[in-house]
Amino acid sequence: MHIKIDNLSDRPVYQQIIDQIKRDIALGRLAVGDKIPPVRQLALDIVINPNTIAKAYRQLEQDGVINTRAGSGTFVAEIQNTLNNESRKVLVCNQLELAVVDAVHTQVAQKELTNWFSEIAGRYYGRSNKI
Amino acid sequence: MHIKIDNLSDRPVYQQIIDQIKRDIALGRLAVGDKIPPVRQLALDIVINPNTIAKAYRQLEQDGVINTRAGSGTFVAEIQNTLNNESRKVLVCNQLELAVVDAVHTQVAQKELTNWFSEIAGRYYGRSNKI
Amino acid sequence: MHIKIDNLSDRPVYQQIIDQIKRDIALGRLAVGDKIPPVRQLALDIVINPNTIAKAYRQLEQDGVINTRAGSGTFVAEIQNTLNNESRKVLVCNQLELAVVDAVHTQVAQKELTNWFSEIAGRYYGRSNKI
Amino acid sequence: MHIKIDNLSDRPVYQQIIDQIKRDIALGRLAVGDKIPPVRQLALDIVINPNTIAKAYRQLEQDGVINTRAGSGTFVAEIQNTLNNESRKVLVCNQLELAVVDAVHTQVAQKELTNWFSEIAGRYYGRSNKI
DNA sequence: GTGGTCTAGACCACC
DNA sequence: GTGGTCTAGACCACA
């Protein structure tokens, strides 16, 4: 598992870790049941305090993305949606909207934006972990 | 201008103000040259500490979204992209990717996600402020 | 708000804080919208590291029991059940069952156990915050 | 003896074993003098590290719930209360209180909670191992 | 002044 | 060796 922290980003370190693990799972790079690196090992790898890694894992666990079993390790959980249709639409659409607003403000043409979207969606959906 | 603050959101208040002003501009609800409310007035309207409003305006000004003319007020600036092609692609695609990852993790079907995207993009691009 | 930590308990400190705040809310001692003590102040009061208090508050926030607004403070949220009927039955009954098993193993008579239960339930339900 | 471990539970494995053995005794499924499986056999049955089983047995033995007779095996002991009245009241009532607080916070009506309690108490007390 | 993030490091519980 | 808890303390973001 390759995690890269951008210290210049305004996104907190623990959030970057969460983002990347969720991304790897969504991309199918991490499969259900896979073991993810122990807190201490990942901390050494990316030169981050173990508590920060633990915080990311804790949040992922709480979101149902991973299962941590004290003493044995941390594992990728099955993707399961706990939100109702309305909530997940709000969640996803809000984020889409932020992207579109930024596109308009940086004068990205609609056609280009749509191409980007299609390319990204294809990367995530054109895989084994179909829905 | 209607700004609504969600105190339960994890997004900070000043950021919600920025989001909504940029959104209104992108939607064409606010046009170039329109006056936006003075800090003190908006602070009274939405019952928020004036410092918080001022912080939002300061950042919008720095992003070139609004212009403050001392003595006369604050006005919507012309949209102008200051980023190069690569930077704005990174900016927009990162946000799109976050949206897609969340869609996958909440088991939104690709088709539905695409519909949502099209609907939102249409709302922002099918307007006077064409690019 | 009076919080007492039992250092001999096997229940972690942060969990004891959670228990007692939830208890005070359930008893009506804390009402919706009430401000609860700032992290640092409570830390001084009960002589506990602020991070431990923060951890308790974080979990309460995530459980929807309180709302924390960075910069302004932490407030009691409205009680709202997010679980379905089945989940909350499992949650509550598992705890009841642990209590009953312990009662049997310490040879508490059924009648006495029932009295205790009624007395406690009365304390929590015989109040303004009726359901 | 049927023991089921829930790896997703936040309750540690050794504690789940203790819970279930005490529950089976309280329910009368295990009677005084019954032999419980050797550590190694149970470890194979439920696919758990033998050390974990041993830890559970050790604690049960210490609580006077089972007796280990070297060479012949491990047996269910007679239920005997070693606590004084005050201690066992505190023990049981604390657990009841946790259950009631959670009931209030998940908006379980008092009547429903009482029904659940009665049903569970009936299951444990309406049996041969009367007190 | 409020809570949030991150670091550093000790100690414990669990498997 | 695994994750969890707790402490101590610096620094930042927010209102």
Side-chain angles (χ1 to χ4, degrees), chain A residues 22 88 97 106 108 124-125, chain B residues 88 97 106 108 124-125:
Chain A
K22 287 182 77 171
R88 66 184 193 174
E97 206 164 342
T106 53
V108 173
Y124 281 88
Y125 280 95
Chain B
R88 66 183 194 174
E97 206 164 343
T106 53
V108 173
Y124 281 87
Y125 280 95

Side-chain angles (χ1 to χ4, degrees), chain A residues 12-14 40 48-49 51-52 55 70-72:
Chain A
V13 173
Y14 83 96
R40 289 174 184 75
I48 289 291
N49 187 290
N51 284 327
T52 303
K55 177 172 187 174
S72 66

Side-chain angles (χ1 to χ4, degrees), chain C residues 23 26-27 120-127 129, chain D residues 97 100-101 104:
Chain C
R23 187 202 57 197
L27 279 171
I120 293 169
R123 227 180 320 133
Y124 281 89
Y125 281 96
R127 311 192 49 76
N129 56 342
Chain D
E97 206 163 343
V100 174
V101 169
V104 172

